[in-house]
Amino acid sequence: MKALSYEELRAFEGRAAATGSPGKDPVNAPMIRHWCEAMGDTNPAYEGPDAIAPPTMLQAWTMGGLSGYEGRSPAHDELFALLDGAGCTSVVATDCEQEYLRPLRPGDVITYDSVIESVSPLKTTKLGTGHFVTTRMDVRANGEPAGTHRFRILKYAPARRGSGAPPGAAPGAASGASSDASSDAGKKLRPRPVVNRDNAGFWEGVAEHRLLIQRCRSCETLRFPWLPGCNACGGQDWDTVEASGEGSVFSYVVMHHPPFPAFDPPYAVGLVELAEGVRIVSNVVGVPYDKVRIGMPVRLEFLRVDDELELPVFRAAEGGEV
Ligand code: ZN
């Protein structure tokens, strides 16, 4: 791990990340429709012959998709390599700001310039210590300025786990997106579940060794994992039923790579179909990873993982002799 001078990082401020890059598609009605459906935005301004694009779609027209970006300078990659080399291996998007200069309409051809606007001094946050990097993108439609999109990320070295954050309070970005490069030899704990008001009842059930499935009060459809509303009827009132604990392996994967702290590959992750009909992702225990099979009967039990965490897991009823 290499020490970084702030001067070295600041030298990137003002460097172009992309110049005159083309959007992959012109502004178009199908992308607008899909976006509005995904957002649940029924504003009539986004439909019909005089439709405009939702202003907040600004970034969508510049995204590279799976095939990547064209016309990028190496500045961004160089900055990230420098930060990676200094131990700031994790990244989280923190916020964005947009300014709209003119509406976008189907047929508009998009180009954009992107510049590394600022790199902050070293900052310590709850997630870890690192640098905020702000990129500004100036978007043009048919060559005219159409809007500005500022996007800020934090490139950071993750804070040591278990230093203050209460169980269940770990933000998703911290447990999901980070690549923990620390090399402490201490015992790694399994990631804490994110407990929120939508799923707290599930974890209260686990504490009492009951696997609770939500049931819609309107149409009685069972649902798992826990959600605020019913996918079948939209109803928001629900109660619970306790799973009998019987189930079978609906599908599974064997994890070899990548390694995660507290997990010892290879291991099997099962998608277990409960007797009640809903499915849950869990570990299949009591059988070697290479003996897990689709259709294998399993039975619920509760595994104490560490002092603070207990999880529902499923024991192979047949001891692997399938
Ligand atoms: Zn329902």
Side-chain angles (χ1 to χ4, degrees):
M1 199 145 93
K2 174 173 168 295
L4 268 186
S5 80
Y6 183 44
E7 289 313 307
E8 211 174 343
L9 294 174
R10 283 198 74 176
F12 282 85
E13 292 186 350
R15 278 188 67 181
T19 305
S21 286
K24 292 249 154 150
D25 297 289
V27 176
N28 63 84
M31 280 174 68
I32 293 172
R33 182 173 61 78
H34 290 155
W35 194 93
C36 288
E37 287 183 3
M39 293 293 175
D41 192 333
T42 55
N43 189 325
Y46 308 144
E47 295 173 34
D50 298 322
I52 60 165
T56 47
M57 275 189 83
L58 187 67
Q59 189 192 15
W61 309 113
T62 67
M63 285 183 141
L66 293 178
S67 52
Y69 290 92
E70 293 168 40
R72 283 204 149 180
S73 86
H76 227 263
D77 291 342
E78 287 172 22
L79 175 58
F80 272 45
L82 205 57
L83 290 164
D84 284 338
C88 297
T89 51
S90 293
V91 63
V92 62
T94 59
D95 61 291
C96 86
E97 291 168 35
Q98 294 185 330
E99 190 179 350
Y100 312 117
L101 303 173
R102 91 163 190 41
L104 295 175
R105 294 195 157 78
D108 283 343
V109 172
I110 298 296
T111 51
Y112 63 94
D113 297 334
S114 170
V115 63
I116 297 168
E117 191 172 65
S118 65
V119 185
S120 80
L122 195 66
K123 302 275 189 188
T124 296
T125 73
K126 209 164 88 177
L127 289 177
T129 298
H131 298 269
F132 290 93
V133 177
T134 306
T135 304
R136 189 188 77 239
M137 191 181 276
D138 294 305
V139 181
R140 286 185 300 276
N142 305 331
E144 295 171 28
T148 300
H149 174 76
R150 270 192 182 79
F151 192 68
R152 190 168 295 116
I153 57 136
L154 174 66
K155 270 290 274 175
Y156 65 100
R160 297 293 165 99
R161 300 277 161 79
S163 56
S175 54
S178 67
S179 56
D180 190 342
S182 62
S183 57
D184 58 324
K187 187 178 179 306
K188 292 285 190 182
L189 297 179
R190 279 212 197 189
R192 307 290 99 171
V194 176
V195 182
N196 57 39
R197 64 182 178 180
D198 293 330
N199 69 7
F202 170 76
W203 292 104
E204 286 161 15
V206 169
E208 297 168 355
H209 288 190
R210 302 165 73 213
L211 181 59
L212 297 179
I213 304 166
Q214 277 181 307
R215 175 174 56 192
C216 174
R217 276 194 202 272
S218 307
C219 73
E220 303 204 328
T221 300
L222 298 180
R223 63 178 188 261
F224 194 93
W226 283 40
L227 291 167
C230 175
N231 277 336
C233 77
Q236 298 199 350
D237 292 333
W238 51 269
D239 56 13
T240 59
V241 295
E242 182 177 352
S244 68
E246 302 298 331
S248 61
V249 174
F250 181 82
S251 187
Y252 66 96
V253 292
V254 175
M255 288 292 291
H256 295 269
H257 194 81
F260 291 104
F263 292 88
D264 189 19
Y267 54 92
V269 178
L271 179 61
V272 171
E273 185 162 276
L274 300 179
E276 290 77 10
V278 297
R279 296 175 192 152
I280 174 172
V281 174
S282 181
N283 289 122
V284 178
V285 302
V287 59
Y289 71 88
D290 57 354
K291 294 282 194 266
V292 175
R293 293 289 180 268
I294 288 171
M296 172 183 265
V298 290
R299 182 162 177 79
L300 172 69
E301 64 181 42
F302 288 87
L303 174 70
R304 175 154 287 287
V305 179
D306 55 51
D307 287 348
E308 291 168 348
L309 185 62
E310 220 170 357
L311 293 174
V313 297
F314 290 83
R315 183 168 292 277
E318 301 171 13
E321 302 306 313
V322 172

